[in-house]
Amino acid sequence: MIPFLDLKAPHVELREEIAEAIARVVDSGWYILGPEVDAFEAEYAQWCGAAHCVSVANGLDALHLALRAMEVGPGDEVIVPSNTYIATWLAVSQCGATPVPVEPVEGTYNLDPSLIEAAITPRTRVILPVHLYGQPADMDAILVIARKRGLRVLEDGAQAHGARYKGTRIGGHGDAVAWSFYPGKNLGALGDGGAVTTNDPTIADRLRVLRNYGSRVKYVNEVQGWNSRLDPVQAAVLRVKLKHLDAWNVRRAAIARQYLDGLAATDLVLPEVPAWAEPVWHLFVVRHAQRDALQAKLTEAGVGSLIHYPIPPHRQAAYAEAGFAPDAFPVASRMADAVLSLPMGPHLHMDDAARVMEAVRAAA
Ligand SMILES: *Cc1c(COP(=O)(O)O)cnc(C)c1O
């Protein structure tokens, strides 16, 4: 059996370094915020080329609190992709604001900049592109629109640690980037974790207050905040794993190269990579008209696969109240019916990737 993702492998590889890092936290006597969290924030900000990093408890909180730091609230609208993981939308809803979906480009799965202006209203405050599957969205095109219309840009970087747009790492293109360190992400903790990077000192300052009960000085509460902090244990683990992330992303890229070459002659729709994009291949997503049959055959052949995502947010019961017609976003719906994620990860062996391709070629 070739699993879709071997979550244990990176931790087995780094077992001793991780154990030492955790022991350091145990011995420090410091278990909330403090030096380990400060060190991770500084290292991660530097790694992704942003002036500030504020860590939080998870990726959803990173999105939600970043929107709050941009003063998004009831009555406001935020432009989101129609084909993202639901967390992107939930963060907007948690502010009391309204997610306004825009369809993606079919080849790259990312927000189509040519459709954004038509979705802007006087209530729009933020454009929220997602760097989906590890491929950067077209940031310059999005930023031109945002600057022209006086909007903020918050990026959902949950799947794109290390991805480069026009040679520069995701981290400081827009006003802020929200990150998730959920275990399955390219940079994952041993549990939940998240962060926001930004070049804007005001956003960073507000986030530090919002994540900590609205407090800068203990027992002095400036605003009604949240308890959303990255644990020092997770920060220590992330510091270890960050040192290996570039090498791991290189391995993912090598597998993606194999897949792109080896599956070119099949009737699968393969991901398109624009010249300016250096994806980090969080997921390798193909499309096929008989997706469910293809997946069943792969399972029979011992090849794991997953669907990201089977139901677009506008068709979820969670958004029934918004009253979207089921066919309101046909590109997102078509994608949901046809996408399939093949095994991908830094610890997938090349000969296993070759076996995956053989199984896909036989099945497709
Ligand atoms: C994982 C993910 C999130 C949410 O992150 P959590 O840490 O699980 O809260 C948000 N957006 C996208 C695109 C994701 O993939």
Side-chain angles (χ1 to χ4, degrees):
M1 177 76 196
I2 301 171
F4 170 73
L5 173 66
D6 183 354
L7 261 187
K8 203 163 83 175
H11 304 107
V12 171
E13 179 188 320
L14 303 178
R15 196 169 215 298
E16 275 169 31
E17 271 185 86
I18 288 174
E20 269 169 40
I22 293 174
R24 190 172 67 231
V25 176
V26 172
D27 293 340
S28 74
W30 201 313
Y31 309 121
I32 294 289
L33 297 177
E36 203 70 49
V37 172
D38 291 346
F40 171 70
E41 289 179 346
E43 287 162 14
Y44 193 66
Q46 204 203 353
W47 187 81
C48 54
H52 311 276
C53 171
V54 182
S55 59
V56 294
N58 56 62
L60 174 57
D61 284 1
L63 288 161
H64 166 219
L65 296 180
L67 288 169
R68 295 243 174 207
M70 293 177 177
E71 301 184 291
V72 171
D76 293 336
E77 293 177 358
V78 175
I79 291 182
V80 295
S82 56
N83 65 320
T84 181
Y85 180 58
I86 197 166
T88 318
W89 288 41
L90 291 177
V92 177
S93 303
Q94 288 184 357
C95 294
T98 305
V100 175
V102 166
E103 296 261 64
V105 177
E106 302 233 13
T108 65
Y109 301 95
N110 277 326
L111 204 54
D112 186 343
S114 74
L115 303 177
I116 291 176
E117 293 228 64
I120 295 174
T121 76
R123 292 168 178 265
T124 310
R125 300 291 305 279
V126 175
I127 305 175
L128 206 178
V130 179
H131 304 299
L132 199 68
Y133 308 150
Q135 162 128 262
D138 190 355
M139 289 310 298
D140 283 352
I142 292 166
L143 287 166
V144 164
I145 298 166
R147 298 308 172 235
K148 190 169 80 183
R149 306 294 292 259
L151 306 175
R152 296 281 214 167
V153 176
L154 170 64
E155 304 159 59
D156 183 337
Q159 305 189 354
H161 315 76
R164 287 174 194 266
Y165 176 74
K166 297 187 179 170
T168 311
R169 278 205 179 113
I170 296 304
H173 290 90
D175 295 292
V177 185
W179 303 93
S180 164
F181 306 121
Y182 179 83
K185 310 293 189 189
N186 287 39
L187 179 62
L190 287 180
D192 277 313
V196 178
T197 54
T198 178
N199 290 321
D200 182 333
T202 307
I203 289 177
D205 182 65
R206 284 185 187 145
L207 279 164
R208 289 187 194 285
V209 173
L210 287 174
R211 73 170 172 183
N212 194 30
Y213 291 110
S215 170
R216 198 186 305 270
V217 176
K218 205 165 185 169
Y219 306 129
V220 179
N221 301 87
E222 303 171 20
V223 292
Q224 296 176 8
W226 281 261
N227 175 356
S228 181
R229 300 171 298 213
L230 181 72
D231 295 331
V233 169
Q234 300 303 347
V237 171
L238 288 167
R239 292 180 70 195
V240 171
K241 292 179 76 178
L242 181 59
K243 286 188 270 172
H244 299 268
L245 184 53
D246 284 321
W248 288 344
N249 282 340
V250 166
R251 285 199 232 163
R252 287 175 184 270
I255 293 162
R257 189 71 260 153
Q258 291 261 33
Y259 282 166
L260 287 169
D261 293 343
L263 300 174
T266 64
D267 58 354
L268 296 176
V269 180
L270 300 178
E272 278 169 28
V273 181
W276 39 257
E278 289 169 64
V280 286
W281 302 105
H282 173 60
L283 298 170
F284 190 93
V285 175
V286 299
R287 292 207 300 282
H288 193 270
Q290 276 92 48
R291 187 266 318 276
D292 293 343
L294 174 65
Q295 187 177 35
K297 283 190 195 169
L298 291 179
T299 307
E300 257 172 55
V303 171
S305 63
L306 290 175
I307 296 166
H308 299 92
Y309 298 92
I311 307 171
H314 79 278
R315 300 178 87 150
Q316 298 281 3
Y319 280 97
E321 262 180 21
F324 294 112
D327 59 356
F329 302 99
V331 180
S333 293
R334 275 205 307 278
M335 284 177 174
D337 291 340
V339 290
L340 188 67
S341 307
L342 300 182
M344 170 55 79
H347 296 79
L348 180 66
H349 291 290
M350 278 302 180
D351 38 341
D352 281 344
R355 282 176 54 207
V356 170
M357 289 192 291
E358 259 169 56
V360 172
R361 281 193 295 254

